[in-house]
């Protein structure tokens, strides 16, 4: 079955063709990096307007580069839950128009489920059950994946998501947006032991996360050294900050795996592209005899292939939406 995926929940206008929930035929992503750099982040209203300008071209490009025609599309899936309301509306409206005119099923997808399927697309042999760490600009969640489309939330962020912390720290230092890739790169030149930043909630029994205090302590360390006229290599701060985040993410994920006696974990979302995170996860999992999976780099950050794959799985469960499908900006992740 040929599914067209549409993703416009934040700043990426994306469309993709996926066959049978497994084979990515095309994966087109138009970023708004020019706007992000101009405004230092996403401005919801401006992002939504840019989606309306681009969505038609992006869908056409996905269909053409996938070597298919509109008439061959058998279902349309769009992100309808979690994201910026104006942005979500653009993708869902486009998906409805196609579903109506092509007379094919419409499926609304939760963005987090999309990220889970990015890993399933990248690693078709990844077994269930497993523990999935979804770590992005908007979410830091530990999810017990009992089966496809059957989830249990084990932990969540209490304040900033990990990617958000990367973005805010990069913004504070004026080194670019989004902050994750910049800090990832800068950290390769820094000493990760130069500063011992706090590992929030690491010692407690909860599987929840909190990164707001870590961000404050990085800013305080910087300010106090500047006040003392000390020169600070920003690379060392970046590497030490990244190490604190990585430490917390890996430790909590492995604790969840141990508590649930699961020997497979997956990491997904934009932050799963982080090189140090992948390295520490791989080493720690090898020591504990745990298998770890990451998405292909092209599927870590927001894309529509993951939405098409999740939509296909939902359709197989007998779920399809009507043309009254609405968007929900902050819907709980249903299990
Ligand atoms: O999944 P995503 O594209 O959007 C959301 O669903 O939020 O994730 C974007 C986030 C941003 O916060 C960005 O800074 C972060 O992923 N990110 C990274 C890296 N690449 C993207 N964080 C750390 N290291 C990276 N290499
Ligand atoms: Zn995302």
């Amino acid at each position: 079955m040929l599914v067209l995926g549409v993703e416009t929940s934040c700043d990426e206008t994306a469309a993709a063709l996926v066959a049978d929930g497994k084979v990515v035929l095309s994966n087109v992503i138009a970023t708004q990096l020019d706007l992000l750099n101009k405004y230092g982040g996403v401005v919801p209203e401006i992002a939504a307007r840019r989606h309306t300008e681009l969505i038609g071209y992006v869908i056409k490009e996905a269909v053409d580069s996938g070597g298919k025609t509109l008439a061959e599309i058998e279902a349309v899936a769009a992100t309808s839950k979690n994201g910026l309301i104006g942005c979500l509306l653009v993708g869902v409206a486009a998906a409805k128009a196609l579903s109506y005119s092509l007379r094919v099923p419409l499926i609304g997808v939760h963005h987090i489920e999309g990220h889970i399927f990015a890993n399933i697309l990248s690693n078709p042999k990844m077994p269930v059950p497993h523990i999935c760490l979804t770590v992005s600009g908007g979410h830091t969640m530990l999810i017990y994946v009992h089966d496809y489309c059957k989830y249990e939330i084990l932990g969540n962020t209490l304040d900033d998501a990990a990617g958000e912390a990367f973005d805010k720290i990069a913004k504070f230092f004026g080194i670019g947006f989004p902050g994750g890739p910049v800090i990832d790169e800068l950290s390769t030149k820094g000493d990760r032991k130069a500063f011992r930043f706090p590992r929030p909630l690491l010692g407690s029994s909860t599987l929840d996360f909190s990164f707001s205090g870590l961000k404050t302590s990085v800013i305080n360390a910087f300010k106090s050294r500047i006040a003392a006229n000390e020169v600070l290599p920003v690379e060392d701060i970046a590497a030490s900050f990244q190490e604190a985040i990585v430490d917390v993410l890996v430790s909590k994920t492995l604790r969840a795996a141990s508590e649930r006696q699961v020997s497979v974990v997956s990491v997904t979302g934009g932050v799963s592209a982080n090189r140090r995170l992948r390295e520490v996860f791989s080493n720690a999992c090898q020591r504990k005899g745990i298998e770890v999976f990451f998405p292909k780099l092209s599927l870590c950050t927001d894309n529509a292939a993951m939405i098409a794959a999740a939509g296909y799985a939902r359709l197989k469960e007998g779920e399809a939406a009507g043309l009254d499908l609405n968007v929900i900006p902050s819907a709980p992740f249903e299990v």
Side-chain angles (χ1 to χ4, degrees):
M1 172 180 265
L2 186 65
V3 179
L4 172 75
V6 178
E7 155 63 40
T8 59
S9 66
C10 191
D11 55 324
E12 258 103 22
T13 317
L17 283 185
V18 175
D20 300 328
K22 288 191 194 106
V23 185
V24 180
L25 301 179
S26 64
N27 189 21
V28 179
I29 303 170
T31 61
Q32 303 188 1
L33 275 180
D34 56 330
L35 296 177
L36 297 176
N37 284 322
K38 186 167 172 194
Y39 297 107
V42 181
V43 182
E45 194 56 36
I46 297 176
R49 273 187 230 166
R50 180 63 72 86
H51 285 311
T52 58
E53 289 163 13
L54 293 176
I55 190 72
Y57 298 106
V58 169
I59 289 175
K60 182 171 183 341
E61 176 64 20
V63 175
D64 291 349
S65 63
K68 300 287 179 185
T69 61
L70 278 178
E72 291 173 276
I73 292 171
E74 294 171 277
V76 185
T79 310
S80 61
K81 286 182 191 164
N82 280 26
L84 301 166
I85 187 163
C87 296
L88 287 168
L89 279 167
V90 178
V92 167
K96 280 183 187 177
L98 282 169
S99 156
Y100 180 69
S101 57
L102 300 172
R103 293 179 163 58
V104 296
L106 172 71
I107 312 119
V109 172
H110 197 299
H111 187 76
I112 293 176
E113 185 163 38
H115 277 301
I116 293 173
F117 273 82
N119 235 326
I120 294 167
L121 261 185
S122 303
N123 307 288
K125 298 213 168 100
M126 186 172 65
V128 282
H130 65 255
I131 301 289
C132 177
L133 171 71
T134 301
V135 65
S136 69
H139 305 281
T140 306
M141 285 180 110
L142 274 169
I143 301 163
Y144 188 6
V145 182
H146 287 270
D147 203 346
Y148 302 118
C149 305
K150 194 162 180 288
Y151 314 106
E152 181 184 347
I153 310 301
L154 304 178
N156 215 329
T157 182
L158 302 179
D159 41 55
D160 289 351
E164 191 181 353
F166 273 106
D167 294 340
K168 286 181 175 170
I169 287 296
K171 192 169 182 184
F172 175 78
F173 286 108
I175 53 179
F177 189 93
V182 185
I183 290 178
D184 187 347
E185 180 60 35
L186 216 52
S187 298
T188 59
K189 300 173 203 118
D191 175 5
R192 51 180 178 263
K193 294 197 176 129
F195 296 86
R196 176 75 196 170
F197 290 127
R199 270 70 172 153
L201 298 181
L202 192 60
S204 73
S205 59
T206 174
L207 290 172
D208 287 334
F209 300 89
S210 162
F211 292 111
S212 165
L214 166 63
K215 187 188 66 197
T216 310
S217 89
V218 171
I219 292 171
N220 287 345
F222 174 79
K223 285 185 177 163
S224 64
R225 278 159 182 82
I226 289 295
N229 276 332
E230 286 178 31
V231 179
L232 274 187
V234 76
E235 292 84 355
D236 288 351
I237 299 189
S240 304
F241 161 72
Q242 178 179 272
E243 197 66 8
I245 292 200
V246 166
D247 208 1
V248 173
L249 294 176
V250 174
S251 304
K252 293 227 167 202
T253 307
L254 294 187
R255 188 191 306 159
S258 152
E259 281 178 14
R260 293 304 177 109
Q261 300 184 328
V262 168
S263 61
V264 181
V265 303
S266 69
V267 190
T268 191
V271 182
S272 69
N274 186 274
R275 281 170 282 183
R276 181 70 184 149
L277 183 71
R278 287 179 173 230
E279 183 187 348
V280 175
F281 252 119
S282 301
N283 293 340
C285 287
Q286 199 179 19
R287 279 197 302 276
K288 290 191 178 292
I290 289 177
E291 228 182 334
V292 60
F293 294 91
F294 301 95
K296 287 180 186 158
L297 286 178
S298 59
L299 297 178
C300 287
T301 43
D302 290 349
N303 65 85
M306 67 186 196
I307 302 303
Y312 173 78
R314 286 280 162 193
L315 197 59
K316 273 182 47 184
E317 296 283 303
E319 291 177 35
L323 289 175
D324 58 350
L325 173 67
N326 210 347
V327 303
I328 309 180
S330 53
F333 185 45
E334 282 158 20
V335 288

